[in-house]
Amino acid sequence: MRSRRQSRTLLVSVLVATVVMPAAPAFANPPERVPVRWLEGTRSTHVVHDGTDTGPADPAAQVTAQVFLAGDTWRLADYARAVSDPRDPRYGHYLTPEQTRTRFGPAQHRIDAVSEWLRGTGLSIVSTDSRAVVARGTVAQAAEAFGTRFRNYTLYGIPFRAAADPVTVPAAVGQDVLTVTGLTVATGPPRPALGTGSRKASRAAVGGAVPTSPCPDHYGDTPATDLPLAYGHPAQWAPCGYTPRQVRDAYGITGTGLTGKGVTIGIISIGNEINALPDANRFATEHGEPPFAPGQFTAYVPADAPPEEGSGEFAMDVQAAHAIAPEANVAFVVGSRARYGDDVLDSIVQIVDRRLADVVSGSVGVGATPGEAPDAIGAYERAFQEAAVEGITVTFASGDSGGGGIDGGRVVDYPPSSPWVTAVGGTTLAIGPGNSYRWEIGWATDEVPLSGDGTSWEAALPGYQGKASGGGTSTVFRQPFYQRGVVPASFAGSPAMRTLPDVAALADPDLCLLVGETEYNVDDSLSYQVSNGGGTSLSSPAFAGVEALLVQEHGPIGFANPALYARPRSAYHAIGDNPAGTPDTVAFAVVKYGYVDLITPGQYADSNLVYAPGYNTATGLGSPTRQLIESFRRHPRGS
């Protein structure tokens, strides 16, 4: 059994090798079977390496395996880079989905060869297309097909059936198989966690009168003189959420004449939130914004997706995109596990194969690297490269856990760590009187509650580590060409690796955009409520809204990172540092769950993030400005 450290080392070597696509080795005597790429160091191998073996799997149990096809990976990656690089003569020469499949997808005889091999092992073919061959059969048949034993494991209290040995395929189809999924699956629910109670519960016994937030319209309107001093001066009471107009004004969108008209933003969803559109329209109407016009919002919902009356993550995505680009169309694409066993991948593939959108926003992470990459990571990378070839811009939230770690090792979320995705980090944004942009700090907050008697803060400032923008340096993907000379070498490491995020937008839920959602109450009834959105799950669709404005003016921009990194630093707001403990330290007060908290943003070190002028692992290049938008105009104003 390999250690996790060994697993990580193998993952780096396998995945980096696949990214740079070395020449296939020449064998004097070709082997009968070859290992499948993209599988070492994934979540499946994590189960085997770190789980508890509980015995052999039932050989008669059913397995559904998705065998993803490689196609022409060399030429696809080369063309994806060419059409994305403003310096390349092929820049912007995008293809249709049909052209993409014809030029880079697997030939029919190769699809047939994979199907014939699977049938020969006794598996039945469920479906075939240019992306995958899906097969079903018993554990015994799958063991023969993929050269592995199947055993049962328990990891973190969850039972799994897993492929215990490295997965291999016949050499005759080795170059056709990109990756295989479905061999390792959870076979039951996790055991109930043994907890000690939430922090909210532990604070329930605190007594005393609680000051009430005045909810000022702007930051800086109302010093919190009724609270203890913070860093030697009164903190500010935070606004209780910004309106869409305030955010557009602060980021310089108002006055550009751009609204996203004619552009479609794709929202990746894994839930059929049926109130996403009614909630967005109600919020817009009540806050002086245009609701969606007939035909402006289209939901693509699979037959097996049950309706969800409660709104949440994906309804917020819709409203954030609509707030920035109110006339853009929205394609609400709900993924299904039915085709490929992965609902997020399915949503992405629907958009790419049918070109349902010009700009895409995803707020769902599907794994972390190293050590817990999704088994389908190779299929994701192929889909993202196809999106680039078709002129589709893909953004993903960078995550809300700072520079997280496993066993002391840093990890980054996937898909935002993909070199073919624009990773959007989060900020804390202060909007002042007149909706002016006052300052912006990386979303990496510490917080401390007011003491029970209201005379002091419960702990020494800045308090307890809170949530933070996801970011860091990948140990899997090499540094892409567009980051060279921009990301500090001290961040990228040696050899230089992919660093994230790329850009940022407001995300701090204590000082963020208002959203309206249908939510469940304590008694399980439903009601519409307006509250702060937040997290990088908001910053990603907000930045996608900005990209929709760029597409409206410029035309398709495809994979945006090369063009974004080519802009001067002045095209982005320079995100400030906020060292705690000085008289200039920024802090603000909010009321949460009926209690007053003091928030100190920008605490990078507490969140395993690193700050440097011009680029940091919380906010990347920075947040959008009017200059960034104007730089994408084909014909600058006044010309």
Side-chain angles (χ1 to χ4, degrees):
M1 181 178 292
R2 301 185 189 92
S3 69
R4 181 173 297 182
R5 183 182 299 248
Q6 290 171 317
S7 170
R8 287 175 179 157
T9 302
L10 287 168
L11 173 68
V12 171
S13 63
V14 172
L15 292 193
V16 170
T18 304
V19 170
V20 299
M21 297 171 299
F27 296 99
N29 297 302
E32 293 184 359
R33 298 185 70 88
V34 294
V36 175
R37 298 172 290 173
W38 297 101
L39 283 184
E40 186 58 60
T42 63
R43 187 175 296 115
S44 289
T45 53
H46 177 40
V47 170
V48 175
H49 296 158
D50 300 316
T52 300
D53 189 328
T54 59
D58 178 1
Q62 289 292 300
V63 174
T64 299
Q66 297 82 26
V67 181
F68 287 95
L69 304 170
D72 194 336
T73 55
W74 276 80
R75 292 176 60 235
L76 174 62
D78 176 70
Y79 198 74
R81 170 171 172 163
V83 297
S84 305
D85 187 352
R87 301 168 302 178
D88 194 289
R90 293 170 290 178
Y91 177 59
H93 291 200
Y94 304 121
L95 304 179
T96 66
E98 294 75 17
Q99 291 171 325
T100 301
R101 285 192 290 270
T102 299
R103 290 179 61 171
F104 307 116
Q108 185 60 50
H109 74 279
R110 299 316 309 161
I111 300 174
D112 294 341
V114 172
S115 300
E116 290 168 9
W117 152 58
L118 292 168
R119 285 195 192 96
T121 64
L123 296 171
S124 61
I125 303 302
V126 177
S127 65
T128 60
D129 57 31
S130 65
R131 197 167 296 279
V133 177
V134 180
R136 182 175 297 145
T138 65
V139 163
Q141 291 166 334
E144 178 185 348
F146 300 105
T148 184
R149 297 168 299 142
F150 284 85
R151 298 188 65 81
N152 296 319
Y153 296 86
T154 300
L155 181 66
Y156 306 134
I158 304 173
F160 288 89
R161 183 185 66 230
D165 307 304
V167 177
T168 63
V169 300
V173 295
Q175 292 301 311
D176 302 311
V177 177
L178 182 60
T179 191
V180 179
T181 65
L183 303 184
T184 297
V185 295
T187 56
R191 293 197 302 262
L194 299 177
T196 57
S198 68
R199 182 174 151 198
K200 179 180 176 183
S202 69
R203 293 173 58 191
V206 176
V210 178
T212 301
S213 171
C215 291
D217 291 334
H218 303 94
Y219 187 91
D221 285 353
T222 311
T225 55
D226 49 348
L227 299 177
L229 297 180
Y231 307 104
H233 57 81
Q236 292 287 333
W237 279 109
C240 298
Y242 297 130
T243 66
R245 175 60 187 263
Q246 285 181 293
V247 176
R248 291 197 301 271
D249 287 355
Y251 279 147
I253 295 168
T254 305
T256 62
L258 300 174
T259 61
K261 188 172 184 179
V263 180
T264 300
I265 301 173
I267 299 297
I268 293 171
S269 177
I270 59 174
N272 181 18
E273 297 181 1
I274 59 175
N275 283 311
L277 177 58
D279 287 349
N281 284 340
R282 177 171 177 176
F283 179 85
T285 300
E286 292 177 352
H287 291 80
E289 294 289 312
F292 281 94
Q296 192 183 349
F297 178 99
T298 304
Y300 297 87
V301 183
D304 63 339
E308 298 178 8
E309 291 185 298
S311 298
E313 182 88 23
F314 310 111
M316 181 178 70
D317 291 358
V318 171
Q319 293 184 42
H322 190 60
I324 302 300
E327 290 194 288
N329 300 319
V330 167
F332 188 73
V333 185
V334 181
S336 168
R337 292 180 179 268
R339 279 207 300 171
Y340 305 122
D342 185 318
D343 38 19
V344 177
L345 178 63
D346 178 65
S347 181
I348 295 166
V349 166
Q350 286 188 65
I351 295 170
V352 171
D353 285 352
R354 300 161 65 186
R355 209 190 184 289
L356 298 178
D358 304 289
V359 178
V360 178
S361 175
S363 297
V364 186
V366 297
T369 59
E372 295 186 354
D375 293 347
I377 188 171
Y380 274 94
E381 290 298 288
R382 176 185 163 187
F384 292 143
Q385 291 172 13
E386 289 172 334
V389 165
E390 294 173 19
I392 300 172
T393 304
V394 180
T395 67
F396 262 87
S398 68
D400 294 353
S401 300
I406 296 178
D407 293 347
R410 298 288 178 86
V411 300
V412 291
D413 284 357
Y414 186 86
S417 58
S418 167
W420 296 100
V421 163
T422 299
V424 186
T427 71
T428 300
L429 171 65
I431 300 177
N435 298 342
S436 60
Y437 179 98
R438 288 200 59 176
W439 51 256
E440 206 163 6
I441 294 170
W443 177 44
T445 62
D446 283 4
E447 58 185 298
V448 61
L450 185 66
S451 64
D453 60 11
T455 62
S456 64
W457 301 108
E458 189 179 89
L461 305 183
Y464 310 105
Q465 181 179 341
K467 286 287 189 177
S469 168
T473 302
S474 173
T475 58
V476 171
F477 296 107
R478 295 279 189 178
Q479 184 180 70
F481 69 96
Y482 52 81
Q483 288 196 319
R484 294 172 193 158
V486 179
V487 175
S490 59
F491 291 5
S494 179
M497 305 297 284
R498 161 77 163 135
T499 309
L500 66 152
D502 300 300
V503 291
L506 78 168
D508 190 334
D510 294 311
L511 195 62
C512 210
L513 181 72
L514 289 170
V515 297
E517 296 177 338
T518 298
E519 299 178 351
Y520 283 98
N521 301 310
V522 176
D523 62 359
D524 287 335
S525 63
L526 285 164
S527 64
Y528 173 83
Q529 302 174 36
V530 176
S531 60
N532 279 20
T536 57
S537 294
L538 186 138
S539 56
S540 177
F543 198 87
V546 173
E547 290 173 321
L549 307 180
L550 306 184
V551 173
Q552 179 187 1
E553 180 62 27
H554 178 273
I557 57 176
F559 176 48
N561 282 7
L564 293 174
Y565 276 82
R567 263 56 191 176
R569 285 188 179 183
S570 57
Y572 303 93
H573 287 115
I575 307 301
D577 197 4
N578 187 35
T582 74
D584 296 325
T585 303
V586 171
F588 56 87
V590 297
V591 175
K592 299 167 69 172
Y593 309 116
Y595 293 86
V596 175
D597 276 3
L598 182 76
I599 308 296
T600 304
Q603 301 311 298
Y604 298 95
D606 289 351
S607 302
N608 291 329
L609 301 172
V610 186
Y611 171 82
Y615 182 94
N616 64 68
T617 56
T619 61
L621 300 169
S623 65
T625 67
R626 176 72 167 269
Q627 183 178 340
L628 175 67
I629 296 170
E630 296 291 349
S631 72
F632 277 84
R633 290 190 184 274
R634 290 187 181 275
H635 303 288
R637 292 189 173 183
S639 63

